[in-house]
Amino acid sequence: MKFARHVRGVTMLEMLVVIALVVLLLGFAIPVVGRVNESRLLTHAAGVLSEELNLARVEALTYRQPVEICLIATNDPPEFRAVQIRNLKPDGTYRWSSRRKSFGAQVCLSIPFSNVLNTQALSTLDTVPSEVRGVALRFYPNGRVERVDADAAPLPPTAAYLYLTVIRARTPAEAEAEQLPANFSTVQINPRSGRVTEYAP
């Protein structure tokens, strides 16, 4: 005697429910992945900036001569997206001691939320092979750090530290709002010792 095996398939309704659940889960996961990627980019940029600041400090201490870290501006209005170190010679000339390090196309330094940038005017840092504009910080052999621009606005008395804030590159409309985004990284520099600390919310 043969028994009829009844094989039951998946109904259309069950398949639609499963697809709807998968779409719903993806809808929750995609924004989270985007925020994680943005955090990774900001952390990387802050790490590059911290490494270069620490390298400039070490070079000043090692060679017993002032070293400048140049924050390089691109575009107009300026966006600070790269950093490079130059050693100052006793005769007043300088020598670039590192390659230009970029923060990446999607991140830049925030001018309103960086007291190093919002108090200094752009200056020409180099003219060979093309004009390079930006601002600079000078590290001295005794550990002291100062802004290079002699005409820079004085820091408020409450500003005990120099700081640079790394944010996602923003559209002009976002930049006009002048609000600190929820996701950022800040690099803090002690002007008396040159020590560098990174912070992220």
Side-chain angles (χ1 to χ4, degrees):
M1 177 168 181
K2 287 188 173 181
F3 292 100
R5 267 182 83 179
H6 187 79
V7 179
R8 184 171 177 263
V10 178
T11 67
M12 181 65 100
L13 182 61
E14 291 170 335
M15 184 152 330
L16 287 174
V17 168
V18 169
I19 290 172
L21 287 173
V22 168
V23 168
L24 185 67
L25 289 174
L26 284 175
F28 286 123
I30 289 174
V32 171
V33 170
R35 283 193 299 270
V36 168
N37 189 41
E38 184 179 322
S39 287
R40 183 185 58 78
L41 291 172
L42 293 173
T43 301
H44 171 73
V48 167
L49 182 58
S50 292
E51 285 175 15
E52 292 299 298
L53 288 165
N54 282 320
L55 181 59
R57 178 176 180 259
V58 167
E59 283 187 13
L61 294 171
T62 303
Y63 300 126
R64 308 300 279 154
Q65 66 185 22
V67 174
E68 289 183 357
I69 185 148
C70 301
L71 304 165
I72 298 168
T74 59
N75 303 337
D76 192 28
E79 292 181 332
F80 293 87
R81 295 179 184 250
V83 63
Q84 192 169 7
I85 298 172
R86 65 183 183 184
N87 292 354
L88 298 177
K89 297 179 182 176
D91 63 359
T93 61
Y94 62 86
R95 172 183 67 79
W96 293 105
S97 65
S98 73
R99 291 183 308 125
R100 187 176 298 178
K101 303 274 176 69
S102 173
F103 304 137
Q106 298 175 350
V107 296
C108 64
L109 295 175
S110 169
I111 295 172
F113 302 105
S114 299
N115 68 358
V116 172
L117 303 178
N118 65 15
T119 57
Q120 292 192 79
L122 279 178
S123 61
T124 301
L125 301 172
D126 197 2
T127 55
V128 177
S130 62
E131 185 177 67
V132 176
R133 296 183 52 76
V135 299
L137 286 174
R138 186 171 295 155
F139 285 79
Y140 289 94
N142 63 2
R144 191 170 52 92
V145 182
E146 68 181 24
R147 298 168 299 155
V148 173
D149 184 5
D151 298 328
L155 291 173
T158 56
Y161 293 94
L162 299 171
Y163 56 88
L164 297 158
T165 302
V166 182
I167 61 170
R168 174 184 54 82
R170 303 190 294 178
T171 63
E174 290 174 322
E176 297 241 343
E178 289 194 13
Q179 292 181 347
L180 190 62
N183 206 357
F184 65 93
S185 288
T186 297
V187 176
Q188 178 180 286
I189 308 150
N190 185 326
R192 290 172 294 288
S193 67
R195 296 202 185 276
V196 176
T197 311
E198 283 182 53
Y199 296 100

